[in-house]
Amino acid sequence: MLGACSSPSSSAKEQGKHISFLYNFSTNSLDPHVDSSYVPIRAGITETLVRLDEDNLTVAPWLAESWEGTDGQNWKIKLRDNVTFQNGKPMTGDAVKASLDRAMTESIAVKNALKIKSIQADGNTLQIVTTQPFPEFISELVNPNTSIIDVTETDVVNKPVGTGPFLLSSFTPGSKLEVKRYDGYWDGASPLDGVTFAFNEDANARSLALRSGQVDIVYRPEIESLDTLNAEPGIKVESTSTFRVHQLTMNMERPALQDVNVRRAMDALIDRQKIVDTILLGHGEAATGPFLPSLPFAPTYEPSPLGADAAVDYLQQAGYSLVNGQMQKDGKPLQLTLLTYPARADLPLIAQVFQSDAKKIGIQVEIRQIDTPEDYMAANRDWDLATYSNLTAPRGDAGYYLNATYHPDGALNFSGAEDPKLTAIIDQLNRTVEPEKRAVLAERAADYVHDNVINSFVLHPSTIVAYNEEKVKNWITTRSEYYMITNKLDVM
């Protein structure tokens, strides 16, 4: 039953100080420039030029020591000295340029996000020119898909060579990877000898693996098991608010959903607080928009009409009526396909609640399970709705989510949104430097999404991590969900 939760090998245990970590998403590729699970950075193999300071919601130096770009288009980035890749080669300006060039070649999403026109390397300094004034350019370099690797290595998919505190020793696609300490790490070698980073999408199996002692840290254990885990001697459960939202993505290319009143009806059917209370057992908060209310650019809204009666009213405005128990228009029943995926255990449950509530007003919803939502939704348009979970401010700014999700060039624009008014607001945001003005534009964009129900926002889940507190030392549950296996992680 445990699958990838099998105990670390005896050789792993014999190598000294070791931690076994169990994650909820599997991956078949460790190419950091395209891997949507961000495993290389989470496992401590790769690093980016800058990182998010989660306490201050600012961008902090990492592989880059400093940067300047007062006009928002011409950027000078000073790299740290004495950084080496895990094969011993120095991290030079040329090597970083080659890595960024590869990231933009391999990923159209990275290319669109960075908007780089040219890169010139001079020793440990990069001169970068963007295609337009882009004040938030540096924050885009927080993206794990911009991780710096040695591109001269031949097998990036199975053995990327980065600058992080751990180098890859083995990788079994879809199952696990083993990493060991890189003694030449620029920020101080890890006290650990190695880490097993395993995958299992079954939340119950993850919880059982921790209780049985097969693993030391579990990311997102089964929520129903939290009371049991809390009662176990030596197990600590942490629940931390993050920059994530669970949303109902609307496929705007589907005829029925092109009517805003149909989208409003879908939104009205979502009983957010009930879902938080019953599915998340209170580990989250109901969402009215994509951003946590505590963020400075998060708008506040008057409550909208919700419930079955409100949904029926919206559908009647769209020309639908209930006939023989079916919601119909022009003799055709309203039938919807709803995508969901098991790696986030609460999403299929949310889908089932939505399906049940829709059935009560005569809407037939077919739930379709998929494995990799980003790949499926990008390649297929044979669906109407999707439960999806998205980081909305992992870089401390609204620009990432708005560009990725609602700009026509956005990597996560699965709704197919292409609204000139909204695009214009986002483009203006991209050109604006002053934080106060950016916050106003971000609110305006979020208001437009809200008023037009381009997507529907369900809840902000807490990130839950459980671990053996009698063994694990210096674990931090981060809000961005990027930084997990670090050189500070240790055992007692």
Side-chain angles (χ1 to χ4, degrees):
M1 176 179 66
L2 298 183
C5 303
S6 57
S7 298
S9 66
S10 58
S11 61
K13 291 181 177 179
E14 289 168 2
Q15 67 181 348
K17 299 172 72 174
H18 180 273
I19 278 179
S20 183
F21 176 87
L22 189 55
Y23 190 54
N24 60 313
F25 270 112
S26 65
T27 186
N28 291 312
S29 168
L30 293 181
D31 185 340
H33 296 154
V34 296
D35 172 31
S36 60
S37 295
Y38 304 149
V39 169
I41 200 167
R42 288 169 168 161
I45 300 169
T46 63
E47 299 170 306
T48 48
L49 292 178
V50 296
R51 61 180 291 154
L52 181 66
D53 179 335
E54 301 191 7
D55 294 328
N56 301 307
L57 293 183
T58 57
V59 174
W62 208 5
L63 292 177
E65 183 178 87
S66 61
W67 55 86
E68 55 185 70
T70 53
D71 64 356
Q73 189 166 15
N74 294 277
W75 297 90
K76 181 179 179 181
I77 299 177
K78 174 69 170 64
L79 304 177
R80 290 189 186 276
D81 295 325
N82 303 317
V83 177
T84 58
F85 292 106
Q86 292 142 358
N87 55 14
K89 295 181 181 178
M91 185 197 75
T92 63
D94 287 328
V96 172
K97 175 185 183 303
S99 183
L100 292 174
D101 284 341
R102 182 186 185 276
M104 291 186 289
T105 299
E106 295 295 320
S107 171
I108 188 66
V110 171
K111 181 179 179 181
N112 290 338
L114 295 183
K115 300 178 176 62
I116 290 178
K117 180 180 180 181
S118 65
I119 307 177
Q120 298 294 326
D122 180 12
N124 266 17
T125 300
L126 296 180
Q127 300 283 350
I128 297 179
V129 181
T130 54
T131 57
Q132 64 188 60
F134 185 27
E136 288 304 304
F137 167 69
I138 293 297
S139 72
E140 288 294 334
L141 296 174
V142 174
N143 187 341
N145 290 142
T146 67
S147 288
I148 304 305
I149 58 171
D150 182 358
V151 301
T152 66
E153 293 286 340
T154 57
D155 191 3
V156 173
V157 170
N158 294 297
K159 197 168 184 180
V161 173
T163 60
F166 292 93
L167 62 91
L168 186 68
S169 56
S170 69
F171 173 48
T172 305
S175 178
K176 67 177 181 178
L177 55 148
E178 300 281 354
V179 298
K180 60 183 180 180
R181 178 180 59 237
Y182 174 48
D183 290 325
Y185 180 53
W186 64 272
D187 194 32
S190 167
L192 297 175
D193 294 289
V195 176
T196 299
F197 194 110
F199 315 118
N200 195 309
E201 296 186 350
D202 185 329
N204 180 56
R206 293 197 297 274
S207 296
L208 289 174
L210 180 63
R211 291 181 63 196
S212 66
Q214 293 177 331
V215 299
D216 305 309
I217 308 172
V218 168
Y219 210 73
R220 295 195 178 93
E222 184 183 44
I223 288 180
E224 290 81 0
S225 72
L226 294 185
D227 287 343
T228 302
L229 291 175
N230 272 314
E232 290 272 356
I235 290 181
K236 182 174 183 178
V237 177
E238 292 184 351
S239 180
T240 304
S241 64
T242 66
F243 306 123
R244 181 172 293 281
V245 71
H246 286 358
Q247 67 184 42
L248 190 68
T249 297
M250 313 267 189
N251 185 349
M252 303 282 283
E253 297 175 15
R254 302 288 271 187
L257 291 171
Q258 290 174 355
D259 190 317
V260 67
N261 282 310
V262 175
R263 301 197 298 273
R264 286 173 179 153
M266 301 302 103
D267 182 78
L269 279 174
I270 303 170
D271 190 337
R272 292 159 172 81
Q273 194 58 51
K274 178 182 177 182
I275 291 172
V276 170
D277 293 340
T278 60
I279 294 178
L280 269 67
L281 301 182
H283 291 277
E285 59 181 290
T288 56
F291 306 117
L292 275 172
S294 59
L295 292 171
F297 42 80
T300 57
Y301 302 107
E302 292 296 322
S304 301
L306 297 174
D309 291 343
V312 170
D313 288 343
Y314 286 129
L315 289 169
Q316 288 176 343
Q317 294 177 53
Y320 287 85
S321 58
L322 197 60
V323 179
N324 297 325
Q326 284 190 328
M327 191 63 68
Q328 297 183 3
K329 181 179 180 179
D330 301 327
K332 296 181 179 179
L334 182 56
Q335 299 176 334
L336 303 171
T337 298
L338 171 60
L339 303 180
T340 191
Y341 52 101
R344 298 193 183 277
D346 36 350
L347 293 185
L349 298 177
I350 293 172
Q352 290 170 20
V353 170
F354 182 87
Q355 180 189 50
S356 175
D357 290 342
K359 185 178 181 181
K360 294 174 183 176
I361 61 170
I363 302 173
Q364 180 182 337
V365 175
E366 174 202 354
I367 295 177
R368 184 182 302 166
Q369 291 263 6
I370 56 176
D371 291 326
T372 311
E374 293 82 7
D375 293 345
Y376 189 92
M377 289 192 286
N380 301 278
R381 307 307 289 169
D382 58 346
W383 54 275
D384 301 285
L385 306 167
T387 59
Y388 186 63
S389 188
N390 203 346
L391 283 168
T392 57
R395 297 153 212 181
D397 185 85
Y400 159 75
Y401 174 78
L402 295 172
N403 275 281
T405 311
Y406 301 107
H407 198 282
D409 295 332
L412 304 178
N413 188 357
F414 304 127
S415 63
E418 193 165 351
D419 188 307
K421 292 182 180 178
L422 179 57
T423 303
I425 298 171
I426 297 171
D427 285 341
Q428 186 179 357
L429 173 67
N430 291 338
R431 296 189 298 268
T432 301
V433 178
E434 297 87 346
E436 295 80 6
K437 292 181 179 179
R438 289 184 60 79
V440 170
L441 289 166
E443 283 196 36
R444 189 184 303 170
D447 285 343
Y448 195 94
V449 170
H450 176 270
D451 294 344
N452 291 276
V453 199
I454 297 177
N455 285 320
S456 189
F457 306 100
V458 182
L459 56 90
H460 300 289
S462 299
T463 288
I464 303 172
V465 177
Y467 59 92
N468 178 354
E469 66 176 342
E470 295 179 349
K471 176 181 178 181
V472 176
K473 183 180 178 182
N474 298 336
W475 167 264
I476 296 176
T477 303
T478 63
R479 299 179 71 190
S480 70
E481 305 178 35
Y482 287 165
Y483 316 117
M484 297 181 182
I485 308 303
T486 72
N487 65 324
K488 307 302 181 187
L489 193 60
D490 199 356
V491 294
M492 302 293 189

